[in-house]
Amino acid sequence: METLINGLHHVTTLAGDTQRNVDYYTDILGLRLVKKTVNFDAPDVYHLYYGNETGSPGTILTFFPYGSIPRGRKGVGQLTYTAFSAPTASLSFWMDRLHERNIPYAGPYKRFSETYIRFEDFDGMGIELVFTDDDKRPGWDNGRIPAEFAIRGFYTVTLNELRTDRTIALLTDLMQHTLIGEEEGRFRFKAGDGGPGNYVDVLHSPKDVHALQGAGSVHHVAFSTNSDETQLIIQQQLAEAGYHVTPVQDRNYFHSIYFREPGGILFEVATNPPGFAVDEPISELGTGLKLPPQYEARRAKLITELPEIIVR
């Protein structure tokens, strides 16, 4: 059977203040700002991408920083926690680093066979660090966090669901995921061969309130596919199964289709190519404002309106 879904591609979240968002993810967590562009559907707002050195699929966390929007609320119908992986030996380093930066964290906890800690960013976005030596991806060396302790990329995401049956059916029947574990209402699935970046957790949360979107809440989660051809196959299969899937959207760095899973969370399937080096070299990723062709005529005006960003 042809591989259609490889694992996670990116997670996109709403945020408040732009500079606080940049400080949190580049300075505190040590991710690289790999692309500075605008929301293609609302160009007066940035679209910031953070990841590893090259912005590999499965490492990319993106934000729409809207400034003073109200905070969101965690609950059912939402991706509530995005988990990154870090080396096992870095557990003390990260607990000390968060403590020094006055960022409260909970844990370490045990879940399945893994050790993790949980905390939030400045807007309340849920983050976990899972400590494992199974992740062989290189971390981004930003000169402040030792490379051997650096974050490697996504580990898993947690989908909070009022009901789980139809979401699980979508993952297993149409999106090539396999159930590999169940613990206290948490169902873990893998795509492909599994491993960090290729997991999805579905959490049965019947007593939780419904989520509200706002700063700190996830807008959508994207799954990776190899090519435009595999994306079209998925699009057709989803449509035939009754999902209202969008036409292909050109996002410059990948091509995307969107649909809502049965619990209400927005899913995206994004192509791995062309990648973030399509409009600037790897060594300069994230240093310049990159605009899609339709907004180039507005560049001068956008530069004056968008807040200045400093990567410290």
Side-chain angles (χ1 to χ4, degrees), residues 182-194:
E182 179 182 355
E183 184 178 281
E184 298 179 350
R186 178 181 294 268
F187 301 86
R188 173 159 295 175
F189 299 86
K190 71 171 186 178
D193 295 330

Side-chain angles (χ1 to χ4, degrees), residues 11-14 64 213 217-221 258 260 265-266:
V11 172
T12 294
T13 302
L14 308 184
F64 299 127
Q213 198 157 76
S217 64
V218 169
H219 185 267
H220 64 263
V221 54
Y258 302 86
R260 291 216 178 260
I265 300 171
L266 185 61

Side-chain angles (χ1 to χ4, degrees), residues 22-44:
V22 173
D23 289 343
Y24 192 92
Y25 287 97
T26 62
D27 181 32
I28 295 175
L29 293 192
L31 302 180
R32 186 183 188 188
L33 178 63
V34 295
K35 194 62 62 181
K36 182 169 61 174
T37 184
V38 296
N39 182 338
F40 286 13
D41 300 316
D44 56 336

Side-chain angles (χ1 to χ4, degrees), residues 131-201:
F131 297 92
T132 176
D133 291 328
D134 292 338
D135 197 338
K136 306 306 180 187
R137 297 173 291 182
W140 164 241
D141 184 354
N142 68 351
R144 293 185 296 276
I145 297 175
E148 65 266 32
F149 295 158
I151 288 172
R152 288 349 195 200
F154 293 138
Y155 187 81
T156 187
V157 293
T158 297
L159 311 180
N160 268 42
E161 300 285 359
L162 186 63
R163 296 178 54 187
T164 58
D165 51 350
R166 291 195 299 160
T167 298
I168 289 174
L170 167 65
L171 289 170
T172 56
D173 295 347
L174 290 173
M175 299 185 68
Q176 297 183 322
H177 282 68
T178 303
L179 178 66
I180 58 171
E182 179 182 355
E183 184 178 281
E184 298 179 350
R186 178 181 294 268
F187 301 86
R188 173 159 295 175
F189 299 86
K190 71 171 186 178
D193 295 330
N198 298 324
Y199 297 134
V200 173
D201 289 1

Side-chain angles (χ1 to χ4, degrees), residues 37 61 68 77 96 118 128 130 177 190-191 216 226 238 252 286 288:
T37 184
L61 182 61
S68 59
D96 291 344
R118 172 177 283 184
E128 293 172 344
V130 177
H177 282 68
K190 71 171 186 178
N226 287 332
L238 289 167
N252 268 19

Side-chain angles (χ1 to χ4, degrees), residues 6-10 52 54-60 137 152-154 197-198 223-225 253-254 270-273 275-276:
N6 301 304
L8 297 171
H9 187 285
H10 67 267
N52 66 0
T54 60
S56 302
T59 73
I60 296 297
R137 297 173 291 182
R152 288 349 195 200
F154 293 138
N198 298 324
F223 298 84
S224 80
T225 192
Y253 313 108
F254 43 84
T271 58
N272 290 337
F276 292 100

